[in-house]
Amino acid sequence: MTKTLGFVPIGLLVLAALVYGLIFPLNRLGAEAGAPHFGHAFWQVLLGGLALYLLTLLRGERLSASWPFLRAYLVVGALGFGLPMAIVTLVSPHLPAGIVPLAFALSPTCTYLLSVIFRLDRLAVFGLVGIALGFAGVALVLAPEEALPSADALGWFLLTLIIPVMLAGANVGAALLRPPATSSTVMGAGFLLGGALSILPLVLIFDGAYWPDTTALLLPTLGAAAVNAVFIILFAEIVTRYGPTFFAQFNYLTVVAAIGWAVLFFGEHASWYAWAALALMALGVLISELRNRGQTG
């Protein structure tokens, strides 16, 4: 197995977190400029996918139109990128800086739980303890009145909890569907374009169609599109080189990066409840991984 305790793997992981952490303030800037939530999510995912598609053409590659590829593009793209991004754009204006990214930190726990349901993993005591700690982190945010700014924020936070379930579905879907191996740019373009297609019905139903034709709208849209395009290549490279378990640590680094960007952009600071919840979730994943100790092959 490739060693992960080195400058390159850790550097790539930190870079991925720093890049993706930007998506949260960029979405908030788009909302403050008046962009419809689902429309903004659609544009950033679509433009990111088109940029990667253009890159594949320049490299002489093509997106496969065969069913295994199309199925992966649509399922993983929708659950892993399109629909979570739609929820992020919807809730970002209503929640503090450190709360929305916490949903991503819960995705490893949800992935394990879903893997057990689909018999891709086994149920174990350490795994159950890990699940319990993950949801204890959620409870820490929900319970005290000081953790959320208002009663209305509770509903928005509960909505974010759909995100880790979707991300878990994308992880399990990728394992079950698993199209033939191809380059990171090809799969990245397919995932983002599939994700854009999944958001399109929401745009039409909720009257979210618009053109980002002002500077205030265009800058966060292009910025978020660039984030999606760069991140998905980093995601594919890290998972290919070092494995999904190593990449799972990205979820916690993203929370820290998102809080740091929020301080820089808006002067916001996360409450100690967010930091404590993150610690519980991270501890839950570490304990859950003990279920694999001693396994071979």
Side-chain angles (χ1 to χ4, degrees):
M1 180 176 289
T2 305
K3 293 182 179 180
T4 57
L5 293 178
F7 177 79
V8 173
I10 293 176
L12 286 173
L13 200 67
V14 171
L15 179 61
L18 287 172
V19 168
Y20 199 77
L22 272 168
I23 207 72
F24 302 100
L26 286 170
N27 279 323
R28 177 169 167 179
L29 288 173
E32 290 178 350
H37 304 299
F38 297 132
H40 183 56
F42 171 78
W43 277 117
Q44 63 179 274
V45 176
L46 176 66
L47 292 176
L50 290 176
L52 288 184
Y53 179 63
L54 178 60
L55 182 59
T56 64
L57 294 179
L58 293 174
R59 296 175 58 180
E61 299 175 314
R62 295 178 59 189
L63 270 70
S64 175
S66 64
W67 174 239
F69 281 91
L70 291 177
R71 182 177 56 186
Y73 295 157
L74 291 172
V75 173
V76 179
L79 295 178
F81 300 95
L83 297 178
M85 192 56 58
I87 295 175
V88 168
T89 59
L90 182 62
V91 304
S92 289
H94 306 283
L95 291 171
I99 298 299
V100 178
L102 280 177
F104 289 78
L106 195 59
S107 63
T109 298
C110 291
T111 298
Y112 169 61
L113 188 57
L114 204 59
S115 296
V116 170
I117 293 174
F118 282 91
R119 298 183 179 180
L120 297 174
D121 207 333
R122 61 189 180 89
L123 190 64
V125 173
F126 284 125
L128 289 173
V129 173
I131 291 172
L133 286 171
F135 287 103
V138 174
L140 187 62
V141 176
L142 292 177
E145 295 181 357
E146 296 84 357
L148 294 172
S150 66
D152 292 338
L154 175 61
W156 293 112
F157 177 70
L158 290 174
L159 184 59
T160 68
L161 297 183
I162 301 175
I163 293 175
V165 177
M166 288 181 174
L167 296 178
N171 294 336
V172 172
L176 292 175
L177 301 178
R178 194 174 299 168
T182 186
S183 72
S184 300
T185 52
V186 169
M187 290 307 295
F191 288 155
L192 289 180
L193 292 175
L197 188 61
S198 71
I199 303 173
L200 186 57
L202 296 174
V203 174
L204 299 176
I205 291 171
F206 293 99
D207 195 25
Y210 79 105
W211 289 101
D213 53 2
T214 67
T215 301
L217 290 172
L218 188 60
L219 289 180
T221 300
L222 292 179
V227 166
N228 279 299
V230 172
F231 167 73
I232 204 167
I233 294 177
L234 288 169
F235 158 76
E237 286 298 316
I238 293 170
V239 170
T240 300
R241 292 186 188 187
Y242 310 110
T245 300
F246 176 72
F247 179 78
Q249 300 168 88
F250 153 85
N251 295 282
Y252 310 109
L253 293 174
T254 297
V255 179
V256 178
I259 292 172
W261 287 121
V263 171
L264 185 63
F265 275 75
F266 309 111
E268 288 189 8
H269 294 270
S271 69
W272 74 267
Y273 295 103
W275 291 112
L278 176 62
L280 280 173
M281 292 175 186
L283 180 61
V285 172
L286 289 174
I287 291 177
S288 180
E289 285 301 311
L290 292 177
R291 74 187 187 278
N292 298 318
R293 188 174 59 180
Q295 290 185 353
T296 58

